Amino acid sequence: MDVLGIDIGGTGIKGAPVDVIAGKLTQERVKYPTPQPAKPDAVAAVLRRLVTGFGWSGPVGITFPGVVCNGEIRTAHNLDPEWVGVDGPDLFSKATGLHTVVVLNDADAAGCAEMKFGAGVGEGGVVVMLTFGTGIGSALFVKGVLAPNTEFGHIEIRGKDAEVRASERAKTLHDLSWGKWAGRVDEYLAHLEALVCPDLFIIGGGISRQSDKFVPLLTGRLHARVVPAALHNDAGIVGAALAAAPS
Ligand code: BGC
């Protein structure tokens, strides 16, 4: 069965119908730039465009780059403060006319997709999925069960928010070499390991496509295994669709 998955990011909003049994996109994904400023109504209008473009009338899962508790948006570090307190499913349902609308954190969605179809398949211990993009997203799994909204991108390192130092955006913004950026990621992973002692880190986000450029540069001081995500940047779309699939 197909469910529409939409991934709202700080720079782009992308979506595609997903076969939720196979974990695969069934049509070419469509991407629009995130409106600036990324206020709720402007983002909702882009979602309407995506839904109309696919001629969609079925269930839709939508990721959001912030804390989402029972559909309520609680934080939006990389979008706009107007999101705080917004009822996500209500806003998107009104904007698109769709009835089954599920909204969840973007990294949680990507993590669920990786656990079901990607690098986390069969992993029964403690797994931390991290997405490196505009920010750093995190998803924590214990024996395959998600503990939602962990927000490990905001732990403090050297007096700064971790994502300010080690996101993909930080790499671009400060023109960091792979080696320099890998050093920051390494330090970040070591902090996280000290906090939650995972068996496995899955490294996701767009930059995971270039994992050969930085995973070998991690120093090996970690006990946990470190692997790139298998679904790369589609993990959010697939995870969004999974969240809205009928059980
Ligand atoms: C947000 C997280 C999100 C991550 C990746 C962070 O700034 O607080 O909720 O998962 O960015 O988008």
Side-chain angles (χ1 to χ4, degrees), residues 8-10 64-67 75-78 105-108 131 133-138 149 151 153-154 161 163:
I8 301 177
F64 186 84
V67 172
T75 67
H77 290 276
N78 294 309
N105 173 264
D106 56 358
D108 284 348
T131 60
T134 309
I136 298 178
S138 62
N149 293 309
E151 294 293 304
H154 299 294
D161 217 28
E163 73 176 22

Side-chain angles (χ1 to χ4, degrees), residues 30 89 98 100 107 118 144 171 175 187 191 205 210 240:
V30 173
L98 298 178
T100 306
K171 181 180 184 307
D175 198 17
E187 182 182 37
H191 265 76
Q210 300 180 75

Side-chain angles (χ1 to χ4, degrees), residues 75-171:
T75 67
H77 290 276
N78 294 309
L79 285 188
D80 188 281
E82 265 186 31
W83 281 98
V84 176
V86 166
D87 180 328
D90 184 57
L91 172 76
F92 297 133
S93 168
K94 283 184 179 137
T96 60
L98 298 178
H99 299 299
T100 306
V101 179
V102 175
V103 183
L104 75 165
N105 173 264
D106 56 358
D108 284 348
C112 290
E114 287 293 334
M115 293 302 283
K116 186 138 191 207
F117 300 112
V121 170
E123 291 289 341
V126 176
V127 177
V128 173
M129 160 91 185
L130 297 168
T131 60
F132 291 83
T134 309
I136 298 178
S138 62
L140 172 67
F141 295 86
V142 181
K143 295 186 180 160
V145 178
L146 170 71
N149 293 309
T150 43
E151 294 293 304
F152 292 151
H154 299 294
I155 62 172
E156 190 180 306
I157 297 187
R158 297 180 189 251
K160 287 201 177 128
D161 217 28
E163 73 176 22
V164 171
R165 290 178 46 79
S167 61
E168 183 184 15
R169 177 165 66 180
K171 181 180 184 307

Side-chain angles (χ1 to χ4, degrees), residues 167-246:
S167 61
E168 183 184 15
R169 177 165 66 180
K171 181 180 184 307
T172 311
L173 201 66
H174 306 299
D175 198 17
L176 301 175
S177 64
W178 284 107
K180 192 133 197 182
W181 184 69
R184 292 186 178 194
V185 173
D186 202 38
E187 182 182 37
Y188 172 58
L189 296 183
H191 265 76
L192 273 185
E193 184 167 86
L195 289 175
V196 292
C197 210
D199 299 291
L200 178 70
F201 283 112
I202 302 175
I203 307 293
I207 209 156
S208 60
R209 284 192 195 283
Q210 300 180 75
S211 58
D212 56 320
K213 298 219 172 85
F214 66 94
V215 172
L217 302 179
L218 302 175
T219 56
R221 63 176 153 163
L222 301 167
H223 296 280
R225 286 169 290 133
V226 182
V227 297
L231 304 178
H232 301 296
N233 229 3
D234 286 342
I237 295 177
V238 173
L242 278 181

